[in-house]
């Protein structure tokens, strides 16, 4: 077994659970993916890229790792999709009760069923912002309600779900979609970010399926879709959310690493670190309206 290292190679004093404000839970689960297998390798590739990344954030002039990032033992339960979801749920709740800022790295998108359930139980009136190419609204798929194609079905019933970047769905999902809260990739008009923020409650959980990004900047994902989001527009949107809302946690899923294509791993690593920087240095974020 590989020796456990600290997140991004940070010094031990920033990596201990007791003092860390952030907990990072890897969930290398790939039980239900329909096409490109390999999301189980996502967390390792992400962690490896993170170790080779600069830890000073230019935008916020900060080194957010000094807030402490505890790399939790990976959730390895994979005997069934239902058991995996239950274990993710339980693991998150345990850290939320210790007042940690909890983050996860998948694995396929079905892990978010467990994430959203845990955050929704812990925080009042939760908004879930899903950034994704696929609607993921099916009530069940291939015999399970815990399939990646069902990632936000439960959230669509129990939370204030806002979907961004969507460009692929099945007709069976139409009845579960709130079009007034859906920002399709082909229709990101001038003020869409303001409209989306206006629909959010104070507490926000963000789930990012990396296939939301355009395949030209993130090809290494299980089910790529043309016509996706780009780097800076995504960061602009995230910045606005972190600045205007209380982001209570987030997960990032569906990195499907390819040995010959490392830029996707580094995008995921940078995205994660940017989100932590925005969370803890909210007051230093400048959004477009200010700069
Ligand atoms: Mn998804």
């Amino acid at each position: 077994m590989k020796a456990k290292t600290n997140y991004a190679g940070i010094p031990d004093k920033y990596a201990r659970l007791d003092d860390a404000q952030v907990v990072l839970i890897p969930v290398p689960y790939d039980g239900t993916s329909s096409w490109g297998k390999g999301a189980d390798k996502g967390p390792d590739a992400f962690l490896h890229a993170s170790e080779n990344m600069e830890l000073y954030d230019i935008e916020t002039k900060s080194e957010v790792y000094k807030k402490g990032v505890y790399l939790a033992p990976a959730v390895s339960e994979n005997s069934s999709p239902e058991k995996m979801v239950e274990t993710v749920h339980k693991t998150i709740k345990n850290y939320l009760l210790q007042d940690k800022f909890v983050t996860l790295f998948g694995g396929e998108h079905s892990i978010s069923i467990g994430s959203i359930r845990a955050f929704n139980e812990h925080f009042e009136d939760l908004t879930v912002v899903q950034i994704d190419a696929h609607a993921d609204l099916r009530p069940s798929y291939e015999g399970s309600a815990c399939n990646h194609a069902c990632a936000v079905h439960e959230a669509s019933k129990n939370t204030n779900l806002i979907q961004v970047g969507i460009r692929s769905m099945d007709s069976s999902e139409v009845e579960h979609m709130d079009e007034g809260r859906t920002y399709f990739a082909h229709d990101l008009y001038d003020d869409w970010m303001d409209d989306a923020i206006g629909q959010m409650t104070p507490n926000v959980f963000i789930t990012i399926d990396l296939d939301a990004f355009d395949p030209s900047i993130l090809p290494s994902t299980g089910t790529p879709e043309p016509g996706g989001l780009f780097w800076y527009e995504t960061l602009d949107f995230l910045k606005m959310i972190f600045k205007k809302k209380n982001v209570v946690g987030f997960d990032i899923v569906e990195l499907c690493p390819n040995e010959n294509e490392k830029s996707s791993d580094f995008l995921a690593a940078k995205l994660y670190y940017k989100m932590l920087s925005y969370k803890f240095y909210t007051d230093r974020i400048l959004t477009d309206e200010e700069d």
Side-chain angles (χ1 to χ4, degrees):
M1 203 169 134
K2 214 175 83 182
K4 186 168 166 267
T5 53
N6 295 342
Y7 163 73
I10 62 177
D12 285 342
K13 67 169 173 172
Y14 299 118
R16 283 191 285 267
L17 176 61
D18 282 357
D19 307 320
Q21 297 191 41
V22 179
V23 169
L24 164 59
I25 309 170
V27 190
Y29 177 78
D30 189 18
T32 72
S33 62
S34 7
W35 192 74
K37 287 271 179 196
D40 54 331
K41 309 277 191 306
D44 273 354
F46 156 76
L47 289 170
H48 188 69
S50 301
E51 286 166 21
N52 292 287
M53 173 186 74
E54 300 284 15
L55 297 177
Y56 174 74
D57 181 64
I58 297 170
E59 247 182 321
T60 56
K61 300 183 170 60
S62 70
E63 293 169 296
V64 73
Y65 73 88
K66 291 181 176 170
K67 299 289 179 188
V69 183
Y70 171 68
L71 178 57
V75 172
S76 54
E77 172 65 57
N78 65 355
S79 58
S80 74
E82 289 72 20
K83 286 219 175 84
M84 177 278 297
V85 163
E86 202 185 296
T87 310
V88 168
H89 171 244
K90 216 170 55 194
T91 307
I92 295 172
K93 289 205 88 170
N94 169 42
Y95 292 121
L96 286 178
L97 290 170
Q98 300 174 54
D99 282 329
K100 303 297 184 185
F101 183 74
V102 181
T103 62
L104 299 97
F105 198 93
E108 51 161 75
H109 210 167
S110 49
I111 74 157
S112 303
I113 300 170
S115 322
I116 295 167
R117 205 177 283 169
F119 282 92
N120 194 32
E121 283 169 10
H122 198 83
F123 293 97
E124 213 151 279
D125 203 5
L126 190 69
T127 288
V128 172
V129 175
Q130 172 204 9
I131 303 179
D132 198 330
H134 308 92
D136 290 350
L137 284 167
R138 286 175 165 94
S140 95
Y141 191 65
E142 291 177 343
S144 174
C146 296
N147 189 284
H148 68 101
C150 317
V152 296
H153 177 81
E154 189 174 301
S156 75
K157 307 299 169 204
N158 300 340
T159 74
N160 176 41
L161 175 68
I162 295 173
Q163 302 188 284
V164 173
I166 311 300
R167 53 197 187 277
S168 171
M169 65 188 290
D170 184 73
S171 61
S172 66
E173 294 176 284
V174 174
E175 61 173 301
H176 302 293
M177 178 175 270
D178 180 349
E179 284 217 22
R181 287 166 195 274
T182 304
Y183 296 85
F184 291 106
H186 61 266
D187 191 23
L188 296 177
Y189 53 90
D190 276 354
D191 296 326
W192 75 269
M193 291 187 198
D194 294 317
D195 290 352
I197 300 270
Q199 292 174 323
M200 294 176 198
T201 55
N203 289 332
V204 174
F205 177 79
I206 304 174
T207 178
I208 300 188
D209 186 327
L210 290 166
D211 63 29
F213 286 102
D214 194 77
S216 62
I217 63 166
L218 196 130
S220 297
T221 188
T223 320
E225 284 284 340
L229 303 175
F230 288 96
W231 181 243
Y232 287 111
E233 62 181 327
T234 307
L235 290 189
D236 284 345
F237 182 50
L238 291 171
K239 260 184 271 191
M240 273 178 86
I241 304 176
F242 279 94
K243 186 147 184 147
K244 300 194 169 177
K245 301 290 165 184
N246 175 37
V247 177
V248 296
F250 63 85
D251 63 22
I252 301 177
V253 300
E254 299 282 358
L255 176 66
C256 213
N258 171 348
E259 248 185 77
N260 301 313
E261 195 288 298
K262 296 289 183 197
S263 61
S264 299
D265 309 0
F266 281 84
L267 189 155
K270 190 91 176 191
L271 178 68
Y272 178 84
Y273 201 68
K274 274 284 179 198
M275 290 175 78
L276 286 192
S277 306
Y278 293 161
K279 171 66 190 174
F280 287 90
Y281 294 95
T282 313
D283 52 332
R284 301 187 191 175
I285 299 175
L286 292 178
T287 52
D288 278 347
E289 48 206 75
E290 291 159 329
D291 55 24

